[in-house]
């Protein structure tokens, strides 16, 4: 009762000594339960800033008029006010109280029991153990706390921002130092073979991850035992499975397929300089020192030799030369006629090889082929009637060769064909009937004679 009387007297005094507006403000202050918090202090002069007469719902609208971010969250169902099922149907003053003084807390919520899953940032892993103040700065809205890894850890990350701001690509929330496997296959340099086991820092020196060179030689130049002679394309021979095992398909990657002994030859045997330098593919370019023929047979060694064995299985078509091989000549060793490796020095006369076999002692000159053939040295065949102008008939056919061809080492084996030339010593007529013995004698028997009668 006393309070009511005091209130009425105060109102009368205000009415008397003030304007109408001032009187109303003084009255509101008189009726206000207590000072507002420091955050709302500027609204304290007008109750209608936060209160609507006789309407609690109207009060919530006034709150959201100022707190537009909360209004947006509830509409979009984001943030704590939009996600938490506890917020459904509650008035603002159920959680936020006022008129308890400038320093009073206006959030009636226990931080220890706050469920962060009701926000846009659910706490996982090590985040569960972090103090609220570790992310939520003083005098700032809790909702304004950063929600990306880089926003909190960017200042302490060691990559110097070379990996961008998506820390979650490699790191886990369970432990910052526990790095998840990075899918290098999504980059321009997929890791294969031994590259999978290489530490990141071996290639990414100084935490540099972009615009790195991607060729083998960029990393392995120091391991190049070839000293650059093979060029910079290491992948031509080496693979990521094993650096030490080199393989190069000479048959597919070059115009010179390696066959036979060439397949076993070392690279340096042919590639004396840089391996990228073009080299001649002729046999003589590599085998000049082995050419015992002294270039007398030309430069195409493949005419006789093959890649299986340089000295063995030599093949040569003698039929393409001026001296085709027949008979026993075919099986004769090359060295039998070619006394030196300069094969063109060999002569083509029979006596050049068979001089010691000439039992005739040159009686028939050097024309051995007149009687002998390559089918067999002992096989003699000579048709005196066809090969000479003196056919052997009668007793001549039984006469020994040496009986007429008695002179040795002659340059011309031809003999006179008259009877008198051979039978002069047996001419009992002492030349009385001339030298044409055939007028009376025949070749059947020299002692027999007939006289031809003159024709009448």
């Amino acid at each position: 009762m006393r309070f009511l009387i005091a209130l009425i007297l105060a109102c009368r005094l205000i009415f008397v000594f003030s304007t109408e507006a001032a009187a109303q403000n003084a009255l509101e202050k008189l009726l206000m339960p207590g000072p507002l918090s420091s955050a709302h202090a500027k609204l304290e002069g007008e109750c209608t800033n936060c209160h609507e007469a006789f309407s609690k719902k109207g009060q919530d609208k006034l709150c959201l008029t100022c707190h537009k971010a909360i209004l947006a969250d509830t509409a979009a169902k984001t943030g704590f006010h939009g996600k938490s099922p506890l917020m459904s149907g509650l008035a603002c003053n159920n959680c936020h109280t006022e008129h308890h003084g400038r320093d009073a807390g206006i959030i009636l919520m226990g931080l220890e029991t706050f469920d962060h899953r009701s926000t846009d940032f659910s706490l996982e892993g090590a985040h569960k153990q972090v103090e609220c103040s570790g992310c939520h700065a003083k005098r700032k809205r809790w909702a304004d706390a950063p929600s990306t890894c880089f926003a909190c850890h960017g200042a302490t990350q060691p990559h110097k921002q070379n990996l961008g701001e998506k820390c979650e690509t490699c790191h886990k929330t369970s432990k910052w130092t526990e790095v998840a496997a990075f899918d290098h296959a999504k980059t321009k340099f997929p890791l294969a073979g031994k590259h999978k086991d290489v530490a990141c820092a071996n290639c990414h020196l100084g935490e540099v991850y972009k615009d790195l060179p991607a060729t083998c030689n960029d990393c392995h130049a120091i391991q190049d035992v070839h000293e650059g002679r093979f060029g910079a394309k290491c992948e031509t021979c080496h693979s990521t499975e094993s650096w030490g095992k080199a393989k190069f398909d000479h048959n597919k990657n070059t115009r010179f397929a390696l066959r036979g002994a060439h397949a076993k030859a070392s690279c340096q045997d042919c590639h004396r300089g840089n391996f990228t330098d073009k080299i001649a593919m002729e046999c003589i370019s590599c085998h000049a020192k082995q050419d015992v023929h002294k270039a007398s047979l030309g430069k195409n060694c493949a005419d006789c030799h093959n890649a299986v064995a340089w000295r063995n299985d030599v093949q040569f078509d003698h039929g393409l030369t001026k001296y085709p091989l027949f008979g026993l000549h075919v099986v004769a060793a090359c060295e039998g006629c070619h006394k030196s490796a300069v094969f063109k020095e060999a002569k083509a006369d029979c006596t050049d090889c068979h001089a010691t076999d000439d039992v005739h002692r040159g009686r028939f000159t050097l024309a051995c082929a007149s009687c002998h053939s390559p089918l067999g040295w002992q096989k003699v065949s000579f048709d005196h009637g066809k090969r000479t102008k003196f056919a052997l008939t009668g007793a001549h056919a039984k006469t020994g060769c040496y009986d007429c061809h008695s002179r040795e080492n002659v340059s011309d084996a031809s003999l006179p064909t008259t009877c008198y030339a051979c039978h002069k010593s047996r001419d009992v007529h002492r030349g009385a009937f001339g030298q044409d013995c055939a007028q009376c004698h025949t070749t059947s028997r020299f002692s027999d004679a007939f006289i031809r009668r003159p024709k009448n």
Side-chain angles (χ1 to χ4, degrees), residues 8-211:
I8 293 172
L9 291 175
C11 291
R12 287 179 178 179
L13 290 174
I14 293 172
F15 180 77
V16 174
F17 297 106
S18 307
T19 63
E20 182 179 355
Q24 184 178 356
N25 186 40
L27 179 60
E28 289 180 349
K29 287 186 177 181
L30 184 62
L31 296 176
M32 186 172 58
L36 297 179
S37 64
S38 58
H40 292 153
K42 64 181 180 179
L43 303 175
E44 194 174 73
E46 188 69 43
C47 296
T48 55
N49 287 333
C50 300
H51 299 281
E52 184 175 338
F54 308 108
S55 177
K56 292 184 177 181
K57 292 184 178 181
Q59 182 177 332
D60 289 342
K61 291 180 180 179
L62 292 174
C63 291
L64 295 176
T65 300
C66 287
H67 297 281
K68 294 180 180 179
I70 304 300
L71 177 61
D73 283 345
T74 56
K77 296 187 181 301
T78 58
F80 174 72
H81 292 87
K83 278 189 172 184
S84 176
L86 300 176
M87 297 296 101
S88 178
L90 287 181
C92 300
N93 60 9
N94 285 347
C95 298
H96 303 285
T97 61
E98 264 298 354
H99 297 289
H100 293 292
R102 294 284 190 263
D103 298 327
I106 63 174
I107 301 176
L108 301 179
M109 183 176 292
L111 298 181
E112 295 79 4
T113 60
F114 179 75
D115 188 355
H116 226 281
R117 290 176 297 178
S118 300
T119 70
D120 294 328
F121 190 87
S122 179
L123 298 181
E124 297 178 356
H127 286 159
K128 296 178 180 179
Q129 310 300 324
V130 178
E131 295 289 338
C132 300
S133 58
C135 299
H136 299 280
K138 292 182 178 180
R139 296 186 179 87
K140 287 190 177 182
R141 295 177 64 248
W142 291 68
D144 292 338
S147 59
T148 64
C149 303
F150 193 82
C152 281
H153 301 283
T156 59
Q157 58 91 20
H159 309 302
K160 303 176 182 179
Q161 300 186 11
N162 291 322
L163 291 180
E165 298 183 0
K166 292 186 177 181
C167 309
E168 64 274 13
T169 304
C170 301
H171 297 276
K172 297 179 180 180
T173 58
S174 58
K175 190 176 182 181
W176 182 252
T177 56
E178 183 179 345
V179 181
F182 177 76
D183 190 358
H184 224 281
K186 294 181 179 180
T187 70
K188 295 180 180 180
F189 192 88
L191 298 182
K194 296 295 184 181
H195 284 163
K196 295 179 181 179
D197 303 326
V198 176
C200 304
N202 286 6
C203 299
H204 300 281
L205 300 176
E207 295 290 342
V208 177
Y209 296 89
K210 290 184 178 180
D211 301 324

Side-chain angles (χ1 to χ4, degrees), residues 273-323:
N274 291 331
F275 281 71
T276 54
D277 294 343
K278 292 184 178 180
I279 61 175
M281 293 187 291
E282 294 80 8
C283 305
I284 200 68
S285 63
C286 281
H287 298 285
K289 292 183 178 180
Q290 296 169 276
D291 182 18
V292 294
H293 314 300
K294 299 179 181 179
S296 63
L297 299 182
K299 297 182 179 181
N300 192 14
C301 309
D303 287 342
C304 304
H305 300 275
N306 57 52
V308 177
W310 182 255
R311 295 183 178 275
N312 300 332
D313 196 21
V314 178
Q315 297 180 356
F316 178 73
D317 189 355
H318 223 285
L320 300 177
T321 69
K322 296 178 181 180
Y323 194 89

